[in-house]
């Protein structure tokens, strides 16, 4: 137990409850998910960079989304996997905990902004195709990506600072597999209600704020698609945004459960499941959602593989 703030130099992560055998099963499962996440998203990045047919705003954003997915899952999953191999609790220094939380929040914010931008891109492509190339030009796309990255990292400076500026005196044991903000607030002996309320408002601003252009964009998209006279035309139009819409539903659903709640110190079991969705499941599904039914990407990937084979053969 900790008596004052100055004595807090490290935290102990409880990780997952259960036997050693269960931990071995969890390690194998999460290691598989993490490996597929890295390989799948790296394949997307490589294919988008190499194949000239994928040099469009949609795939430009998808490449950056894949980079964010790799970074987000890498912030916490390797530490989680290491914890599953260790007996007992896992020690994490205060500085590592602070950096992990900041990166997790910043990368997540940038991803939400990028998802919103991708929804607007789909709206322009479906509802205003004649002006698509002039509106979504390379200059616009580059600035959208830069703003998403920079804003995400700037916006989360205060939340990370406010969290670790609290006095931790109740314990230094976190009932989680990473430095979760809700569990950190539980350990504070300060009156953190005002801080929690501000953090709640900031989460609402980011998540709901990025949801508004997404909802508006897809309202117009659906309305436009329904006006297309032929069934084949409707299917073709819907196929251009179906993968992104699926990712939006899964991604926003997980974030709403995890962050948009007035009381940040929610049950550890609830936080663990929601965190696994954001950190493990969503990045794992991303390559499949965006590529399995995308004939253009599959063809581009085959060409990249052929090119790599020829280079190795020569």
């Amino acid at each position: 137990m900790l008596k004052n703030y100055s004595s807090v130099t490290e935290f102990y992560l409880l990780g997952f409850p259960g036997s050693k055998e269960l931990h071995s099963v969890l390690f194998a499962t999460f290691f598989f998910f993490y490996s597929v996440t890295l390989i799948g998203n790296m394949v997307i990045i490589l294919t988008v960079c190499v194949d000239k047919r994928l040099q469009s705003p949609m795939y430009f954003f998808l490449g950056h989304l894949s980079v964010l997915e790799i970074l987000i899952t890498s912030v916490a999953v390797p530490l989680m996997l290491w914890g599953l191999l260790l007996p007992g609790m896992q020690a994490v220094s205060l500085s590592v905990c602070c950096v992990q939380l900041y990166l997790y929040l910043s990368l997540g914010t940038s991803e939400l902004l990028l998802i919103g931008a991708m929804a607007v891109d789909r709206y322009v492509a479906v509802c205003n195709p004649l002006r698509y190339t002039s509106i979504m030009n390379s200059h616009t796309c580059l600035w959208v990506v830069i703003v998403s990255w920079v804003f995400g990292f700037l916006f989360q400076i205060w939340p990370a600072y406010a969290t670790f500026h609290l006095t931790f005196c109740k314990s230094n044991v976190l009932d989680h597999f990473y430095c979760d903000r809700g569990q950190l607030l539980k350990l504070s002996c300060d009156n953190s209600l005002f801080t929690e309320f501000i953090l709640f408002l900031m989460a609402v601003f980011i998540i709901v704020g990025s949801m508004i252009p997404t909802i508006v964009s897809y309202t117009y998209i659906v309305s436009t698609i329904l006006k297309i006279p032929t069934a084949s035309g409707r299917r073709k139009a819907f196929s251009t945004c179906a993968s992104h819409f699926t990712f939006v539903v899964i991604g926003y659903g997980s974030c709403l459960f995890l962050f948009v709640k007035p009381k940040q110190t929610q049950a550890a079991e609830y936080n663990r499941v929601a965190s696994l969705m954001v950190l493990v499941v969503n990045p794992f599904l991303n390559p499949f959602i965006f590529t399995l039914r995308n004939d253009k990407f599959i063809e581009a990937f085959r060409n990249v593989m052929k090119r790599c084979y020829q280079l190795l053969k020569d």
Side-chain angles (χ1 to χ4, degrees):
M1 299 291 289
L2 299 171
K3 298 301 180 183
N4 52 57
Y5 177 75
S6 61
S7 64
V8 181
T9 57
E10 62 183 6
F11 293 99
Y12 290 91
L13 305 178
L14 285 180
F16 295 90
S19 63
K20 187 177 179 181
E21 289 73 21
L22 176 61
H23 282 194
S24 299
V25 173
L26 290 174
F27 175 84
T29 303
F30 294 145
F31 182 77
F32 170 75
F33 273 56
Y34 183 57
S35 300
V36 172
T37 298
L38 293 182
I39 295 170
N41 283 289
M42 286 176 69
V43 164
I44 290 176
I45 296 167
L46 178 65
T47 306
V48 169
C49 291
V50 171
D51 198 284
K52 292 182 179 180
R53 289 174 300 177
L54 301 184
Q55 303 302 310
S56 66
M58 174 182 170
Y59 294 103
F60 177 70
F61 292 143
L62 178 58
H64 281 271
L65 181 65
S66 294
V67 172
L68 284 166
E69 293 284 40
I70 290 174
L71 293 176
I72 287 172
T73 193
S74 297
V75 163
V77 173
L79 191 66
M80 177 186 72
L81 292 173
W82 179 245
L84 287 169
L85 295 176
L86 296 175
M89 294 184 292
Q90 184 179 12
V92 179
S93 69
L94 180 66
S95 57
V96 169
C97 203
C98 182
V99 170
Q100 185 188 55
L101 180 63
Y102 172 67
L103 289 176
Y104 171 59
L105 295 174
S106 299
L107 293 167
T109 301
S110 296
E111 182 176 70
L112 289 175
L113 295 176
L114 191 60
I115 291 172
M118 291 175 74
V120 175
D121 170 71
R122 292 300 83 208
Y123 158 74
V124 178
V126 174
C127 301
N128 205 346
L130 297 179
R131 297 185 59 198
Y132 179 69
T133 53
S134 61
I135 295 173
M136 301 303 296
N137 55 59
S138 58
H139 182 76
T140 301
C141 294
L142 182 61
W143 271 108
V144 167
V145 168
I146 291 173
V147 170
S148 298
W149 281 90
V150 173
F151 183 84
F153 278 83
L154 291 179
F155 188 79
Q156 293 298 341
I157 291 175
W158 186 85
Y161 170 80
T163 301
F164 287 94
H165 193 67
L166 296 170
T167 304
F168 301 107
C169 60
K170 294 179 181 178
S171 172
N172 63 343
V173 178
L174 294 173
D175 191 6
H176 216 296
F177 60 82
Y178 79 105
C179 294
D180 175 63
R181 184 168 64 192
Q183 295 302 308
L184 286 165
L185 292 172
K186 263 187 177 182
L187 303 183
S188 172
C189 56
D190 295 334
N191 185 356
S192 60
L193 286 177
F194 178 74
T195 301
E196 289 185 47
F197 181 67
I198 297 300
L199 294 175
F200 166 70
L201 291 180
M202 294 181 74
V204 169
F205 174 76
I206 287 297
I207 297 176
V208 178
S210 61
M211 278 182 69
I212 291 173
T214 303
I215 293 171
V216 172
S217 295
Y218 274 105
T219 300
Y220 279 104
I221 287 170
V222 171
S223 176
T224 303
I225 290 175
L226 292 176
K227 292 177 183 176
I228 298 175
T230 63
S232 60
R234 288 194 295 269
R235 280 197 299 270
K236 184 178 179 181
F238 183 73
S239 66
T240 63
C241 52
S243 57
H244 178 258
F245 181 75
T246 304
F247 187 82
V248 163
V249 172
I250 297 173
Y252 277 115
S254 303
C255 290
L256 285 170
F257 277 115
L258 188 58
F259 292 114
V260 182
K261 50 185 188 288
K263 191 68 175 173
Q264 292 286 324
T265 56
Q266 202 134 6
E269 294 77 14
Y270 176 97
N271 278 344
R272 253 194 295 266
V273 173
S275 297
L276 284 173
M277 285 294 297
V278 174
L279 289 165
V280 179
V281 179
N282 291 357
F284 170 79
L285 292 176
N286 176 43
F288 300 103
I289 291 173
F290 283 103
T291 62
L292 280 183
R293 298 186 65 183
N294 190 325
D295 295 332
K296 187 176 181 180
F297 182 89
I298 291 173
E299 184 62 29
F301 175 68
R302 286 174 180 166
N303 289 339
V304 171
M305 290 296 99
K306 287 179 183 177
R307 201 179 303 177
C308 292
Y309 174 74
Q310 290 174 353
L311 288 173
L312 292 172
K313 190 176 179 181
D314 295 338

